[in-house]
Amino acid sequence: MKRFYLKTMGCQMNDHDSEVITGILLSLGYQSTDSVDEADLILYNTCCVRENPERKVYGHIAAFKRLKEKNPELIIGICGCMPQQKQERQQMLQRLPHVDLIFGTHNIHRLPELLERAASGERIVEVWEEGQYDEGQDYRDDLPVQRSDGLKAFVNIIYGCTNFCTYCIVPYTRGKEHSRTPAKIREDVVGLVADGYKEVTLLGQNVNAYGKDLTEDASFSALLEDLNSINGLERIRFTTSHPRDMGPDLIKALATLDKVCEHLHLPVQAGSSSLLKRMNRGYTREYYLDLVKQVRKAIPGISLTTDLIVGFPGETEQDFQETLSLVQEVGFDSAFTFIYSPREGTPAARMPDQIPEELKKERIYKLIELQNTISENHMRRLLGTNQELLVEGRSKDGLIGRTRTNRQVHFEGPDDLLGSLVSVEITEASTWSLRGRIL
Ligand code: SAH
Ligand code: SF4
Ligand code: F3S
């Protein structure tokens, strides 16, 4: 019996890719292990959107050299977004001579063959080249998937990104936008529901661009409407929406389709129009604020979350203040905040006036402090409200459910509620957690 250790970094695309990788490995007779010491295969599914996690990969893999010395049969592999960059690939080959297997985000389906070759002593580097597939073709359609959850499932709807925000590496690693057909997505979701799944999260770097690359008439809002009609499915979520491509049809879909949850992750990145322009985001501060107004008007109580970057090249104190004031004005339920990390090959990395690390840190602390206060107020406001929960699990604090707005709530109840929808009243609300009483 062979064992594999799989480490996953990065976004939900990678989380889901790892579910496919796990599915393939199990079908090959491998068993999963949490311990690198007993693994016959160590595989890192990597992210390169920022520098820190990248450094970790080098650190970890370097340390596995001793394992390889003990067990020469051990296969060490790196996949995901890092290998998609040529320079990174070359560095890996040089700096990590004990790595056997390097493959990209579009080569997962070839894993069985790659492993076989690696086992026979070949050192393997396989990455996808642009333009390899045709419309409607999805080399992953028939791959086994080992899902990490029995209630909630990820479903890819569009791969890649062609937005080329000037700071971002993703368009270079994941390639151009490539939508799956509505029929295939529906088939997936129907299958999931038959297997007992209650919730799907539709995945794409920019789900709002869904369908634009297909010749058949398809749009994201039409897809939502179609999926909303599937019996037995309770909840539909999606991520990520690009503000520029968020039209009235999508706002209407959010407002009217009963299964589509009241949560919108709408990354704004910055509050100053001049920074947004240099980020190539394709919208202004005013546009974003107006969009938020329309969304809130159509869907009262919707949870709005975002991504923010501080320390983009040339960010002035005034620009930063505009980010703070936008955050204040919108009042996001929560935000992922990032320090700008220069990525080789992207336009922003070559821009003048890179911000010193100290100043970036100072700014992110201020931003986090402000957002924490706002998040706390949102939590407090839930006190005394009634919420629909999907009961997802149990912890030492009782059952755990999730609201339609994507918040966790702990409450007391019997295990047979697992997997069902219940109503609770929120009885306690602190900065990071909610407690409820079943109604
Ligand atoms: N497709 C999604 C986000 C993908 S990456 C979108 O456009 O919203 C997730 C987040 O990482 C981004 O929203 C951005 O805030 C952050 N990010 C991307 N590149 C970055 C960089 N070079 N430095 C710091 N943060 C970055
Ligand atoms: Fe990156 Fe922008 Fe594409 Fe998001 S939309 S993945 S931030 S290039
Ligand atoms: Fe990272 Fe690749 Fe996702 S770079 S954020 S894992 S698409």
Side-chain angles (χ1 to χ4, degrees):
M1 179 61 70
K2 291 200 166 181
R3 293 175 202 275
F4 70 95
Y5 171 92
L6 175 61
K7 167 101 178 158
T8 308
M9 307 168 117
C11 66
Q12 284 140 322
M13 317 282 153
N14 264 16
D15 289 339
H16 185 45
D17 287 353
S18 278
E19 292 181 331
V20 177
I21 291 170
T22 303
I24 295 175
L25 291 173
L26 293 176
S27 77
L28 292 175
Y30 277 85
Q31 239 177 36
S32 154
T33 173
D34 300 330
S35 149
V36 286
D37 294 295
E38 59 178 41
D40 302 283
L41 165 68
I42 297 177
L43 192 54
Y44 267 56
N45 190 6
T46 60
C47 170
C48 53
V49 82
R50 284 169 293 274
E51 193 188 349
N52 270 348
E54 255 186 18
R55 271 207 217 116
K56 261 190 215 156
V57 170
Y58 281 102
H60 286 197
I61 305 259
F64 296 150
K65 199 166 179 188
R66 61 173 178 91
L67 296 174
K68 184 93 178 177
E69 281 159 6
K70 263 200 317 207
N71 173 14
E73 306 275 276
L74 170 66
I75 295 177
I76 301 178
I78 303 179
C79 62
C81 286
M82 274 172 78
Q84 292 291 125
Q85 297 165 271
K86 197 167 174 200
Q87 258 138 345
E88 207 64 61
R89 265 188 331 260
Q90 282 159 351
Q91 266 209 53
M92 282 173 188
L93 287 169
Q94 265 176 19
R95 283 175 56 189
L96 304 168
H98 54 297
V99 165
D100 308 280
L101 172 60
I102 295 174
F103 62 97
T105 49
H106 296 66
N107 308 75
I108 294 172
H109 58 303
R110 304 199 34 200
L111 186 55
E113 173 210 328
L114 299 182
L115 274 174
E116 210 169 286
R117 279 165 51 200
S120 68
E122 191 182 338
R123 196 170 194 210
I124 291 170
V125 184
E126 287 261 345
V127 290
W128 152 86
E129 316 248 334
E130 187 78 66
Q132 192 172 293
Y133 43 41
D134 305 322
E135 175 173 327
Q137 179 197 346
D138 187 344
Y139 57 91
R140 288 173 43 157
D141 275 346
D142 301 317
L143 296 179
V145 185
Q146 178 67 31
R147 298 188 178 268
S148 58
D149 191 282
L151 280 178
K152 306 188 291 180
F154 291 129
V155 177
N156 287 120
I157 64 165
I158 177 168
Y159 299 108
C161 180
T162 18
N163 282 310
F164 292 95
C165 302
T166 53
Y167 49 82
C168 186
I169 195 77
V170 172
Y172 307 89
T173 68
R174 293 267 169 174
K176 61 176 185 241
E177 280 162 6
H178 177 71
S179 300
R180 300 181 64 216
T181 61
K184 278 186 180 160
I185 296 167
R186 186 182 175 91
E187 195 183 306
D188 273 4
V189 177
V190 168
L192 286 164
V193 171
D195 288 342
Y197 284 85
K198 304 280 187 207
E199 177 179 311
V200 291
T201 299
L202 310 176
L203 292 183
Q205 293 297 352
N206 175 11
V207 290
N208 300 1
Y210 175 74
K212 286 181 184 167
D213 60 310
L214 296 175
T215 37
E216 73 176 284
D217 200 13
S219 71
F220 185 50
S221 55
L223 179 72
L224 286 175
E225 196 174 332
D226 181 39
L227 299 179
N228 196 68
S229 69
I230 296 177
N231 276 336
L233 180 65
E234 301 287 359
R235 291 178 166 188
I236 303 172
R237 302 185 187 279
F238 55 87
T239 196
T240 302
S241 284
H242 195 300
R244 185 200 55 216
D245 298 329
M246 175 117 196
D249 59 325
L250 184 51
I251 299 180
K252 188 167 163 230
L254 267 163
T256 55
L257 301 174
D258 61 319
K259 290 172 186 169
V260 178
C261 289
E262 293 76 29
H263 172 216
L264 182 64
H265 186 60
L266 196 63
V268 65
Q269 313 299 358
S272 126
S273 291
S274 74
L275 265 195
L276 287 169
K277 185 156 201 247
R278 283 193 294 120
M279 288 176 162
N280 191 30
R281 289 292 289 179
Y283 54 86
T284 61
R285 172 192 180 91
E286 292 70 31
Y287 168 93
Y288 188 90
L289 288 172
D290 182 61
L291 181 59
V292 165
K293 247 187 227 150
Q294 290 178 44
V295 169
R296 285 228 166 100
K297 193 169 152 211
I299 311 118
I302 191 169
S303 166
L304 275 176
T305 56
T306 202
D307 293 347
L308 294 155
I309 297 177
V310 299
F312 185 80
E315 181 187 64
T316 62
E317 183 56 30
Q318 168 71 23
D319 290 326
F320 176 60
Q321 289 302 326
E322 285 189 45
T323 294
L324 292 179
S325 73
L326 179 133
V327 164
Q328 184 81 53
E329 198 170 329
V330 174
F332 293 106
D333 288 72
S334 67
F336 294 107
T337 51
F338 303 109
I339 285 184
Y340 168 71
S341 171
R343 304 285 62 206
E344 210 173 306
T346 62
R350 297 186 297 269
M351 287 180 187
D353 303 321
Q354 297 284 329
I355 306 292
E357 223 40 50
E358 270 315 295
L359 185 55
K360 286 184 187 169
K361 280 193 188 143
E362 219 175 89
R363 285 181 179 164
I364 201 163
Y365 292 145
K366 281 187 194 155
L367 179 60
I368 291 172
E369 202 183 310
L370 171 65
Q371 183 54 47
N372 282 350
T373 320
I374 297 168
S375 301
E376 211 176 311
N377 287 338
H378 276 288
M379 292 292 261
R380 292 246 170 72
R381 249 177 270 149
L382 292 173
L383 202 63
T385 62
N386 294 347
Q387 301 284 336
E388 176 200 281
L389 301 183
L390 176 62
V391 187
E392 296 177 352
R394 171 173 286 291
S395 75
K396 58 182 183 0
D397 290 334
L399 288 173
I400 307 170
R402 200 171 282 271
T403 65
R404 289 177 61 92
T405 52
N406 207 24
R407 295 174 186 282
Q408 265 195 5
V409 181
H410 292 270
F411 66 103
E412 292 307 328
D415 274 351
D416 56 9
L417 291 179
L418 284 166
S420 59
L421 293 173
V422 299
S423 283
V424 297
E425 183 193 342
I426 304 297
T427 52
E428 281 172 48
S430 65
T431 317
W432 306 116
S433 71
L434 298 169
R435 277 204 79 80
R437 181 176 57 84
I438 201 156
L439 293 170

